[in-house]
Amino acid sequence: MSEEIKTTEQTVSKPAAKKRIFSGVQPSGLLTIGNYIGAIRNWKTLSSEYDCIYCVVDEHAITVRQVPADLRRRTYETLAIYIACGLSPEDNVLFVQSHVHQHAELSWILGCYTMFGELSRMTQFKDKSAKNADNINAGLFTYPVLMAADILLYQADLVPVGLDQKQHLELARVIAERFNGVYGDTFVVPDGYFPKVGMKINSLADPTKKMSKSDTNPNGYVAILDDPDTIIRKFRRAVTDSDTEVRYGEGKDGINNLMTIYSAFTGRTYDEIEAEFEGKGYGDFKNAVGETVADGLRPVREEFDRLMKDKAYLEGVMKDGAAKASNVAVRTLSKVQRKLGFVQVK
Ligand code: ATP
Ligand code: LTN
């Protein structure tokens, strides 16, 4: 919809403000094809229609112990992957979470509007506590509040994420509605955006579990930056069943997962894939998936290598992105503080 602006001489049309997207990935490991298919690829698709803000969420990553030098390097790498996947810093705001201090401040405030019981029900907290039994810290527990702060700080309309983030997104909506209910309209209540194909890519080593970049077994995931031989080898080793037919169906988690990945990279439907591999075995299919993924990711890898040689450029993007993000963040936080009754002196 366009809003009409009347001037004395003429009537000009000003396009209505675009809706806003916010999303992020943790720099907690090498980004996988799960992150790519479930999230980043859709960021690119949506990027022309929306006003997009994409963040490297380093504050989220420290809920699990990180080696400082690795965290620093991965923060650059994650940003470089965003750009290499086609998200230009000119058309999208790209920044690092810890460079905009309002995230942590809003998170504290929203924590006072989030119930202990709500956080206790989060399945990611249960999963990660089981995996990190020696470090079940409060940050791991309140992680969804920080995620809500990320989203609500920018008044985002849409949040493109994979299926594992659905529960966190629903909690962000509950928190926004609760706050709005008490103080009047303050936050936009965000909607989730999930890909039609690939909202949950599973591990190649255990196809009943989500593919995860922090998996200790590197054969479980394919990293966006794995070289072609490694990608092809990992797909050849992918766990499948004892059947031989390439067919999507119950009890065929491994093949279903490979078909989903192949479909995401080729745009072919499951029926078309079944027809393509009729009479051929799993071996041929696994090779085809490996080669298709390796080819599809080649341009990303090449652009990534180029970008990582230019740290000054990446730092420029970070600085510029943080300045743009701060403009929005300052306004939301100030509105929230005013509504709460915090004294504001100029
Ligand atoms: P970690 O292993 O450190 O928890 P992760 O691989 O699960 O990390 P996140 O940084 O938590 O990745 O997720 C970034 C985005 O990628 C989120 O939108 C998430 O939903 C999506 N995503 C992550 N893994 C998958 C997957 N296996 N399939 C589909 N989407 C995924
Ligand atoms: N929790 C998300 C990462 C994340 C995020 C966000 C995603 C942090 N803040 C805001 C979307 C919007 C995850 O993928 N683990």
Side-chain angles (χ1 to χ4, degrees), residues 69-107:
D70 291 348
L71 180 63
R72 194 170 297 120
R73 191 191 65 252
R74 284 177 185 145
T75 301
Y76 284 94
E77 287 175 351
T78 306
L79 178 71
I81 288 183
Y82 287 2
I83 303 171
C85 286
L87 299 165
S88 82
E90 288 76 34
D91 299 330
N92 304 275
V93 174
L94 307 179
F95 76 106
V96 177
Q97 185 181 32
S98 62
H99 294 175
V100 179
H101 60 80
Q102 285 82 1
H103 290 248
E105 284 178 71
L106 183 61
S107 178

Side-chain angles (χ1 to χ4, degrees), residues 80 83-86 298-308:
I83 303 171
C85 286
R298 186 164 290 126
V300 175
R301 223 167 17 244
E302 287 170 0
E303 181 62 3
F304 172 86
D305 289 341
R306 200 185 63 73
L307 288 162
M308 283 303 285

